Amino acid sequence: MEVAIEPVRTYLLDLQDRICQALEALEPKARFLEEVWRYREEGGGRTRVIEGGELFEKGGVNFSHIGGAELPAAATERRPELSGCRFQALGVSLVIHPQNPYVPTSHANVRLFIAEKDGETIWWFGGGFDLTPYYPFWEDVVHWHRQALSACQPFGEEVYHRFKRWCDQYFFLHHRGETRGVGGLFFDDLNEWGFDRCFAFLRSVGDHYLPAYLPIVERRKDHPYGEREREFQAFRRGRYVEFNLLYDRGTRFGLQSGGRTESILMSMPPTARWSYSWRPEPGSKEAELWDYLKPRDWLKEAGVL
């Protein structure tokens, strides 16, 4: 079938613009720097990174559209029938690491893959968004999942539950026995609804990122903090690094496909730390986080569902 790439590309570029503009409107000091690059085989991308801000210590909002003669292993390990396919991959991926430990880190990604082999075209959408707080607030987590629910509701009653569970399962540090954060949505290999409806779902997820994240940033950006909170933030950022390097398929796909290393690793926090056998003090603010690092039905607990 004919895959309508250009409308997807146009949407993704506009999404990158809208997200960068909204984040810059909150940041009093820094601005996104842009670098346009070419891929070694086909295509390229538009990397935008913000660093050293008063609100955002580091963040990246990247667009890429690349292609090649063969899908890398990260894309075919779950679908071996696609080995040897030519491919195109286009998407927007972002990670925002705020300065204030009371403002959560956030991640989002929306993408389209196309594989071609023996005259057959195979396509699928993927993406989602998830939240990683260091000092969590119940109302923030519920708000985040309300927006995730809102993104999914036009597409069926079970869609939120299905992709929420997938997010909990995917963003899980198996060697630590904990989730990376409080979840959100994750989906992949989505083509069961037909191209137009799947693309509409991709847009709904992408369009709900800012309504999900910005109110949390606004509520927490002026919360007072000290060196203790910054040290704990750096410790928890170490967990973020562990997930991205050990488990994240997007990171592995980018590196295996020979993509631009700096753009792929822009998701890394500016500082992180590891401590041997560190444990939070019982009853401390830091200890509260562990109640959030497990799959929970947040909206049911909040009486929303």
Side-chain angles (χ1 to χ4, degrees), residues 57-213:
E57 189 173 11
K58 182 186 177 186
V61 183
N62 292 348
F63 166 82
S64 63
H65 183 180
I66 63 172
E70 185 173 354
L71 275 166
T76 61
E77 60 187 6
R78 292 167 52 253
R79 300 185 65 173
E81 75 277 9
L82 299 181
S83 296
C85 287
R86 289 192 59 81
F87 76 94
Q88 289 190 66
L90 60 159
V92 165
S93 181
L94 69 91
V95 177
I96 305 298
H97 292 290
Q99 173 85 12
N100 190 322
Y102 287 93
V103 182
T105 286
S106 70
H107 161 257
N109 174 268
V110 284
R111 59 190 179 271
L112 168 65
F113 271 86
I114 302 163
E116 298 176 355
K117 189 176 184 179
D118 300 329
E120 182 182 5
T121 298
I122 304 162
W123 58 267
W124 66 94
F125 289 97
F129 52 66
D130 63 284
L131 192 71
T132 305
Y134 307 101
Y135 292 92
F137 293 85
W138 175 255
E139 59 267 36
D140 293 349
V141 178
V142 172
H143 166 79
W144 182 261
H145 280 272
R146 279 183 180 271
Q147 290 299 316
L149 175 66
S150 178
C152 296
Q153 277 184 320
F155 300 88
E157 289 298 319
E158 289 302 312
V159 173
Y160 165 75
H161 301 284
R162 173 185 169 190
F163 294 148
K164 187 266 185 193
R165 284 193 299 269
W166 201 347
C167 187
D168 291 337
Q169 294 164 1
Y170 180 75
F171 292 105
F172 191 82
L173 286 82
H174 297 273
H175 62 292
R176 300 286 187 185
E178 62 188 39
T179 56
R180 187 171 79 173
V182 297
L185 300 172
F186 178 84
F187 65 99
D188 204 0
D189 302 320
L190 182 67
N191 61 10
E192 64 201 63
W193 301 331
F195 189 89
D196 290 344
R197 187 169 176 80
C198 290
F199 180 28
F201 181 69
L202 180 94
R203 296 196 303 271
S204 185
V205 171
D207 291 346
H208 276 80
Y209 168 74
L210 287 174
Y213 190 49

Side-chain angles (χ1 to χ4, degrees), residues 224-243:
Y225 65 91
E227 189 58 32
R228 171 175 171 159
E229 287 89 350
R230 284 286 285 172
E231 288 184 1
F232 184 64
Q233 180 191 50
F235 172 72
R236 290 303 309 174
R237 282 174 170 179
R239 300 288 198 263
Y240 207 90
V241 172
E242 289 177 16
F243 179 86

